[in-house]
Amino acid sequence: MLSATLVGAETWDVQKEGSFEYVKASQVKEFYGFSTLTVEEDFFELETSDLRFSFEEGRSVMMVNGIRHVLTTPNLVRGSEALIGKRDVIFLIDPILRPDHLKKVQPLDVIVIDPGHGGKDPGTQCALGYESELNLIIAKKVKAQLVKQLGDRVRVLLTRYENKTLSLRERVDIVTKYPNSIVVSIHGNGIGGIQAKSIEGVETFIMSPEGVAGYNTANTSSVDQRRLGNNFDQSNAILGTSIHTELIKALPQAKDRGLKRARFALVQAVPVPGVLIETGFLTHPEEHKRLFNEKYQDRIALAVTKGLVRYYNVSRFVNEVFRLREGISE
Ligand SMILES: [Zn+2]
């Protein structure tokens, strides 16, 4: 991959701390043309005129213009030098800053929306209903918005249109039929016991890069193996950050739990880019009421649509750039 070789290049001074590899924030500043790098004892920040990336020492979090992005490697400050995980530069910072440097983005002809659960599997439940119903309502709203905004430029499909049972295999098979597609899986969250009262918020998951088990987790044995979904690490990052950013902007009441990586069954098994959205906690005493409010659902759907349209535009742009480059080299 282009950006992988970039970080491996001689100009980058990769250093090891424990089991993690790091690059210097000062080099990130130079390479990407940030105007300032501020390093404090427990905090550092990179800025351009319209982007602010903030890092806390010892934590695996990066705030991008205030939106939470969970990293795979804890940030470090060593004296006057700030360090960022090499994998986070390759798989998150680079795609955010230079989507046009993606090696390749598949043309996007089909968007598959996957309402989680259904039928015999209702998912999380609360006093107002089942997660499977909520996921389907939101999925249908996203489809309606996408059709409104993109017209016939893309085909929009749902993995299910009614309350029916669908296995993981069946969902993967539907997506696999459309090689030039992306998949957006829609879920609601739940947690049991005493934590139900306090845990709330929105989180967006993309596939963990190779060598990383999940967010905030160092790699161990079999869980970190390369999967099909890793062919799209950089596309996944653009898709994930686009949707998560729009969700947090559109839902000021919701706690921002971050863009995270995990090896969820669907996103690791599909041969196309994918993202899984957790729209909120049905187990939380306040959040579940918002989730079953139609206006709130509309806001979620519109935010997801904006993120998807942004991804669509990036993919169009990248493919256009590649077409032009090929034309020149002929
Ligand atoms: Zn679910």
Side-chain angles (χ1 to χ4, degrees):
M1 258 169 238
L2 200 67
S3 39
T5 55
L6 156 111
V7 175
E10 269 173 65
T11 47
W12 289 82
D13 174 20
V14 177
Q15 57 193 84
K16 268 199 119 173
E17 288 254 358
S19 60
F20 295 113
E21 285 185 311
Y22 287 93
V23 296
K24 289 179 178 151
S26 53
Q27 286 198 306
V28 173
K29 173 183 181 262
E30 288 303 311
F31 187 86
Y32 292 103
F34 282 95
S35 46
T36 55
L37 166 64
T38 314
V39 183
E40 308 277 343
E41 210 173 289
D42 53 358
F43 172 84
F44 58 99
E45 203 161 69
L46 283 158
E47 275 179 281
T48 67
S49 55
D50 57 355
L51 276 176
R52 196 169 71 237
F53 287 53
S54 316
F55 306 80
E56 265 180 71
E57 207 280 333
R59 297 193 61 206
S60 304
V61 174
M62 167 176 75
M63 301 302 283
V64 180
N65 288 354
I67 310 282
R68 191 177 168 89
H69 291 62
V70 178
L71 304 176
T72 60
T73 309
N75 314 304
L76 295 179
V77 176
R78 293 287 179 260
S80 61
E81 194 69 68
L83 302 173
I84 305 172
K86 179 182 139 182
R87 277 201 174 82
D88 293 316
V89 175
I90 299 173
F91 293 116
L92 199 56
I93 293 175
D94 192 65
I96 290 174
L97 292 172
R98 309 190 309 169
D100 54 319
H101 277 67
L102 280 172
K103 191 153 190 186
K104 194 178 131 226
V105 179
Q106 287 165 287
L108 181 57
D109 301 329
V110 178
I111 295 177
V112 182
I113 306 165
D114 172 49
H117 312 276
K120 284 184 215 151
D121 167 23
T124 304
Q125 58 175 297
C126 67
L128 296 175
Y130 292 113
E131 186 202 331
S132 54
E133 301 165 347
L134 178 68
N135 297 338
L136 183 57
I137 292 168
I138 294 172
K140 285 181 175 169
K141 286 180 183 291
V142 174
K143 178 176 157 83
Q145 280 296 338
L146 274 172
V147 169
K148 213 163 150 186
Q149 296 200 21
L150 291 176
D152 55 10
R153 285 179 283 168
V154 289
R155 197 171 151 198
V156 185
L157 302 170
L158 268 59
T159 52
R160 63 179 177 93
Y161 291 85
E162 60 210 35
N163 183 23
K164 77 170 194 187
T165 311
L166 262 189
S167 68
L168 172 71
R169 189 70 250 164
E170 288 169 309
R171 291 173 206 263
V172 171
D173 286 348
I174 292 169
V175 179
T176 305
K177 264 191 247 164
Y178 305 97
N180 294 338
S181 72
I182 55 173
V183 60
V184 187
S185 196
I186 296 181
H187 283 256
N189 229 327
I191 190 157
I194 189 131
Q195 287 183 298
K197 281 196 168 61
S198 57
I199 306 253
E200 60 179 311
V202 175
E203 51 196 10
T204 304
F205 287 91
I206 52 173
M207 177 65 186
S208 304
E210 191 178 356
V212 177
Y215 60 94
N216 218 356
T217 324
N219 47 325
T220 47
S221 66
S222 64
V223 284
D224 60 359
Q225 284 167 10
R226 189 176 178 85
R227 303 288 159 85
L228 208 47
N230 287 122
N231 291 339
F232 313 101
D233 281 327
Q234 277 132 336
S235 303
N236 291 340
I238 295 171
L239 185 58
T241 191
S242 301
I243 292 178
H244 189 71
T245 299
E246 293 302 334
L247 280 168
I248 298 307
K249 285 199 304 202
L251 309 171
Q253 307 96 316
K255 185 172 189 279
D256 177 6
R257 294 175 59 84
L259 171 67
K260 299 177 174 179
R261 333 292 174 79
R263 293 175 167 258
F264 282 135
L266 184 74
V267 293
Q268 73 173 5
V270 287
V272 300
V275 63
L276 186 146
I277 302 161
E278 294 279 6
T279 53
F281 280 76
L282 279 82
T283 44
H284 187 268
E286 294 307 318
E287 192 162 47
H288 85 277
K289 290 183 203 157
R290 293 199 292 268
L291 288 168
F292 280 87
N293 174 295
E294 198 183 346
K295 290 222 169 76
Y296 195 79
Q297 294 163 354
D298 286 337
R299 273 156 58 196
I300 292 174
L302 193 57
V304 173
T305 304
K306 276 190 187 170
L308 287 168
V309 170
R310 176 168 186 268
Y311 181 86
Y312 173 82
N313 289 332
V314 168
S315 79
R316 286 287 303 258
F317 174 73
V318 172
N319 282 306
E320 188 62 20
V321 168
F322 273 88
R323 225 169 46 82
L324 289 171
R325 277 186 202 152
E326 274 165 19
I328 289 164
S329 64
E330 266 166 13

